[in-house]
Amino acid sequence: MDGRAKDVPRRRTQAERSTATRAVLLKAAVGCLYRHGYGATTTINVANEAGVSRGAMLHQFPSKADLMAFVVEETFAQDLRLYRRLLRGIDTRRDRLIAYPEAAWRVLSRPAGVAVIEILQGSRSDHDLKQRLSPILARIEATASAEINRQFPAGASQPLRQLIVGAVRGLAMMNIVDPDDEGVRRAIPLLQALVRAGVETGLFSSAPASPVASAAPAVART
């Protein structure tokens, strides 16, 4: 009898069930945003994709803006871990700058990266989403600013990082429109070559300390 009792699986707590539901909804939301874009992503579509009832969806995320904000926050946490892993072991300023376009591509072109781009674009015309994201992006910017200063101490200027991320974001969206365009993927090594040339010629020199602290959007909005 005691042996049979030990075989009974432990019931998950409410917190564990909630975490599991959110993880399923996150994956489904990213998939919908990646395949269909912000406008065509609805809470009903996400719930159906996740195999979750509408009631369970509303319990976790009462509105689309709440769900999209969750996607942004969770993706940013993933972004930080991914950037750290991709840049780990690259110690010199020069090599980090040259590696940065490839790292940004790996982060931005994955489905979650594209999903966040879709959400940020959608917030331009969605007032509720814009309000919901405002404090979240402020927190993300503060965290990303500290991370950038750690990853690039006395490193590249804010405009250079913004240039790299902006270029890679555009390439990531072009890749969605035409996944078979080999020129898109080949553009990343070209961008790295341009960064290398800029570093070697002194064009991409270090910026004063004050602009560096404001460089957070280069990572925060990826």
Side-chain angles (χ1 to χ4, degrees), residues 75 77 93 109 129 195:
T75 299
R93 168 184 175 268
S109 65
L129 177 60
V195 171

Side-chain angles (χ1 to χ4, degrees), residues 22-44:
R22 282 174 169 252
V24 170
L25 289 171
L26 173 64
K27 181 178 180 181
V30 165
C32 287
L33 287 161
Y34 182 74
R35 293 192 303 273
H36 308 302
Y38 178 78
T41 297
T42 66
T43 55
I44 294 176

Side-chain angles (χ1 to χ4, degrees), residues 55-220:
M57 161 68 83
L58 293 176
H59 178 73
Q60 297 295 332
F61 304 107
S63 70
K64 179 178 178 178
D66 292 326
L67 175 61
M68 296 298 103
F70 175 70
V71 173
V72 170
E73 288 191 288
E74 289 299 305
T75 299
F76 174 67
Q78 295 171 8
D79 288 352
L80 284 181
R81 293 192 293 270
L82 185 53
Y83 271 117
R84 288 169 183 169
R85 180 170 64 80
L86 293 172
L87 297 174
R88 186 179 300 135
I90 306 175
D91 298 324
T92 69
R93 168 184 175 268
R94 173 186 181 278
D95 290 343
R96 274 180 176 264
L97 286 177
I98 293 171
Y100 194 56
E102 176 65 25
W105 171 259
R106 295 279 297 275
V107 172
L108 287 167
S109 65
R110 80 194 203 282
V114 173
V116 169
I117 296 174
E118 288 284 349
I119 293 170
L120 294 177
Q121 290 177 329
S123 69
R124 294 185 59 202
S125 57
D126 188 327
H127 180 70
D128 290 340
L129 177 60
K130 185 175 182 179
Q131 285 194 316
R132 186 70 177 80
L133 286 180
S134 181
I136 293 171
L137 292 178
R139 291 196 301 271
I140 286 175
E141 185 168 343
T143 302
S145 178
E147 179 69 12
I148 287 172
N149 288 330
R150 188 181 75 83
Q151 292 283 1
F152 295 94
S157 65
Q158 176 189 4
L160 175 57
R161 285 193 295 271
Q162 295 285 36
L163 175 62
I164 292 172
V165 170
V168 175
R169 267 194 194 138
L171 290 169
M173 296 309 294
M174 290 172 65
N175 191 57
I176 293 297
V177 174
D178 186 2
D180 297 323
D181 186 354
E182 286 295 322
V184 171
R185 188 61 184 84
R186 287 162 57 191
I188 299 301
L190 176 59
L191 182 57
Q192 288 182 295
L194 293 172
V195 171
R196 182 182 294 108
V199 170
E200 292 175 351
T201 60
L203 177 63
F204 298 154
S205 59
S206 297
S210 55
V212 173
S214 64
V219 172

